[in-house]
């Protein structure tokens, strides 16, 4: 999508073995119940974005200086590589995660009036890399799980951050080896 929009219809499986990218203000939009997979990266440059609505990413790779925007519902990432500058979990939206996830960008949770933003484990998860989890607003940002038997391991290169005036909640079994940079409120 070069300064335009590519929209994938709901319910499709997209296997990326070539190039799927958003550049020059472009948008790649995966509609509800899309499934993303493949050996090549889904990329967005600094002026562009990839939108997901209730999508499932299996061993998918996201890369670039742009935005991975979780627009609605729950989008689930299994054994994903997230090397994109920012992954935004908007209010009323959930990012599901399971398996071994490589994070080399920021996951930013932005709750809104009456709606939370959540990072929810849908399986035992190891989160490694050099990225950050950012509690970006002041009330309903959660890291939690759908099953008490699932655990989260936050690797030593990952930073969990809540800036002044913001707060986040971690409500699950976790091994926390990363860095915690908390100027706001952090509830465990």
């Amino acid at each position: 999508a070069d300064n335009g929009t590519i929209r994938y219809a709901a319910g499709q499986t997209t296997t990326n073995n070539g190039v799927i990218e958003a550049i020059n203000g472009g948008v790649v939009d995966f509609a509800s119940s899309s499934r993303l997979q493949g050996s090549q990266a889904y990329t967005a440059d600094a002026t562009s974005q990839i939108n997901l609505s209730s999508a499932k990413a299996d061993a998918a790779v996201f890369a670039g200086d742009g935005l991975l925007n979780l627009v609605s519902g729950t989008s689930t990432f299994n054994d994903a590589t997230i090397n994109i500058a920012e992954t935004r979990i908007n209010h009323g939206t959930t990012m599901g995660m399971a398996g071994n996830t490589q994070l080399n960008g920021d996951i930013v949770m932005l709750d809104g009036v009456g709606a939370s933003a959540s990072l929810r484990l849908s399986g035992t998860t190891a989160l490694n890399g050099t990225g950050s989890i950012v509690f970006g607003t002041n009330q309903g940002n959660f890291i939690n799980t759908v099953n008490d038997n699932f655990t989260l391991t936050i690797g030593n290169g990952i930073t969990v951050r809540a800036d002044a005036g913001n707060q986040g909640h971690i409500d699950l079994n976790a091994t926390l080896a990363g860095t915690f940079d908390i100027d706001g409120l952090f509830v465990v």
Side-chain angles (χ1 to χ4, degrees):
D2 187 350
N3 196 28
T5 300
I6 297 173
R7 182 164 291 125
Y8 289 85
Q12 286 189 333
T13 296
T14 303
T15 302
N16 183 11
N17 292 322
V19 176
I20 296 178
E21 65 182 353
I23 59 174
N24 300 318
V27 176
V28 177
D29 189 25
F30 291 93
S32 182
S33 301
S34 293
R35 185 173 179 164
L36 291 73
Q37 58 192 23
S39 60
Q40 300 298 313
Y42 298 84
T43 62
D45 72 10
T47 63
S48 303
Q49 66 187 42
I50 299 167
N51 293 332
L52 302 182
S53 298
S54 298
K56 184 173 184 179
D58 290 322
V61 178
F62 299 91
D65 295 323
L67 173 65
L68 178 57
N69 192 27
L70 306 186
V71 178
S72 64
T74 298
S75 290
T76 304
F77 297 76
N78 297 313
D79 296 318
T81 300
I82 304 170
N83 292 333
I84 199 161
E86 181 180 335
T87 300
R88 186 175 297 159
I89 306 172
N90 293 293
H91 66 280
T93 304
T94 299
M95 179 179 194
M97 192 176 286
N100 295 310
T101 300
Q102 188 72 25
L103 175 64
N104 294 308
D106 291 338
I107 294 175
V108 180
M109 289 185 259
L110 300 171
D111 69 339
V113 176
S116 63
S118 299
L119 174 59
R120 182 170 296 145
L121 300 189
S122 54
T124 295
T125 303
L127 186 59
N128 293 295
T130 58
S132 297
I133 298 172
V134 180
F135 296 106
T137 47
N138 68 0
Q139 291 185 5
N141 298 303
F142 298 93
I143 300 176
N144 53 23
T145 183
V146 297
N147 182 320
D148 288 340
N149 294 325
F150 298 150
T151 60
L152 172 64
T153 300
I154 296 177
N156 63 9
I158 300 294
T159 300
V160 178
R161 192 172 81 228
D163 297 330
N166 297 338
Q167 80 178 14
H169 304 263
I170 293 183
D171 185 20
L172 50 78
N173 296 318
T175 301
L176 310 171
T179 301
F180 290 81
D181 183 5
I182 309 300
D183 292 327
L185 175 64
F186 186 67
V187 180
V188 179

